[in-house]
Amino acid sequence: MARLRNKNKKMFVKPTSKKKQADVDHITGDKIPKSFVFARGKLPGPLRQLQMNLRKLMLPFTALKLKEKKRNSLKDFLNVAGPMGVTHFLMLSKTETAPYLRVARTPQGPTLTFKIHEYSLAVDVAQSQLHPRCPQDLFKNAPLIVLSGFGSGEQHLKLTTVMFQNIFPAIDVNTVKLSSCQRIVLLNYNKDTKLIDFRHYSIRLQPVGVSRRLRKFVQNRQVPDLRNLQDVSDFVSKAGYGSESEGDDEAATVTLANDLGRVNKASTKSAVKLQEIGPRMTLQLVKIEEGLCSGGVIFSEYGTASENGQEKNQNNGEDDNDDVEENDEDSD
């Protein structure tokens, strides 16, 4: 007799657990900074694309698919940031004169406001290159940060340096894996123009003294076409050693401590190549506030409100003195 199946019995299904992102670096022990990139107000199409480019740049410790609504206030983002361990906000906005980027530390500030003079999207940078390079595995690790020209000792430049250094995870040079160093963010400050050049590059290494044809053969793992060659040595010597893109500058070469990929081996020299992947921005620091988009003004490119008020009162006082002198002359 067939065994009757109990219809009321429910089948047990093991829940699938997603891998939780670490909040603390297991090597350095420091808290990993995380960020939200969102808009304040309505943005035009190009600035919306710039927002997505910035989210991709901040990977993997950011919300790439963060959904916003018009009714969301800054307090809404702040309430969500605490449980998720978010430490920084990057906020884009647009006025009648120019777009702005605000970088803030949560939950209590400070907030740095930058005026965006010029910007280029990642797609524009790729279209300007003959061989664009942006594989998906570039964004598995956070980028390195390099700051240049910020060492003048001024307070607002020190705050800018600390803000951008803390927005990306710190690394330990003694334990860091070379395979995780695939991107770099460069900020260069020009003290004459007071502008900051913001650039985003990918890092790749090429072995010095190896022909481009051999590199392609090792990397692609494809059988080369030898039909028109008399000997295998012709394939090796045809392209010569080195390549047209390989620099001779010794400062651009490094000696690897361990193997990196199939081509770059330990104890051999490799040339460091940087290729821009975007986005690109030209920024100007216009204001620093103590709190989160509020509080006292620590720095203002156009002067603080108190300074402007003092100058205005001083000018009014000078005008009054001139009127008194003119009245005295008329009475005489």
Side-chain angles (χ1 to χ4, degrees), residues 21 34-37 54-56 58-64:
Q21 205 172 41
K34 298 180 182 180
S35 61
F36 276 167
V37 182
L54 288 176
R55 287 182 182 179
K56 199 170 183 180
M58 299 300 296
L59 285 175
F61 302 109
T62 192
L64 183 62

Side-chain angles (χ1 to χ4, degrees), residues 68-110:
E68 313 164 49
K69 295 181 180 180
K70 292 182 179 180
R71 64 174 180 267
N72 287 140
S73 64
L74 188 60
K75 188 177 180 180
D76 296 333
F77 291 100
L78 195 58
N79 292 336
V80 178
M84 297 185 66
V86 175
T87 58
H88 292 83
F89 286 167
L90 280 77
M91 297 165 281
L92 282 169
S93 60
K94 177 72 169 65
T95 65
E96 295 180 357
T97 56
Y100 288 86
L101 172 66
R102 283 183 289 179
V103 182
R105 172 82 183 193
T106 61
Q108 298 178 348

Side-chain angles (χ1 to χ4, degrees), residues 234-269:
D234 296 338
F235 173 79
V236 177
S237 60
K238 186 175 181 180
Y241 289 94
S243 66
E244 67 278 3
S245 62
E246 193 172 284
D248 297 329
D249 188 6
E250 288 293 330
T253 61
V254 294
T255 302
L256 301 180
N258 47 46
D259 294 346
L260 185 62
R262 293 170 54 86
V263 180
N264 299 282
K265 299 298 181 181
S267 302
T268 60
K269 284 190 175 183

Side-chain angles (χ1 to χ4, degrees), residues 12 23 44 48 60 85 97 193 203 240 249 280 305:
F12 175 75
D23 293 330
R48 280 287 178 185
T97 56
T193 61
I203 305 174
D249 188 6
R280 176 194 303 180

Side-chain angles (χ1 to χ4, degrees), residues 145-165:
I145 180 71
V146 175
L147 302 171
S148 175
F150 289 87
S152 63
E154 300 180 58
Q155 183 186 12
H156 63 282
L157 294 181
K158 289 182 179 179
L159 288 173
T160 305
T161 301
V162 173
M163 178 66 76
F164 279 104
Q165 283 179 342

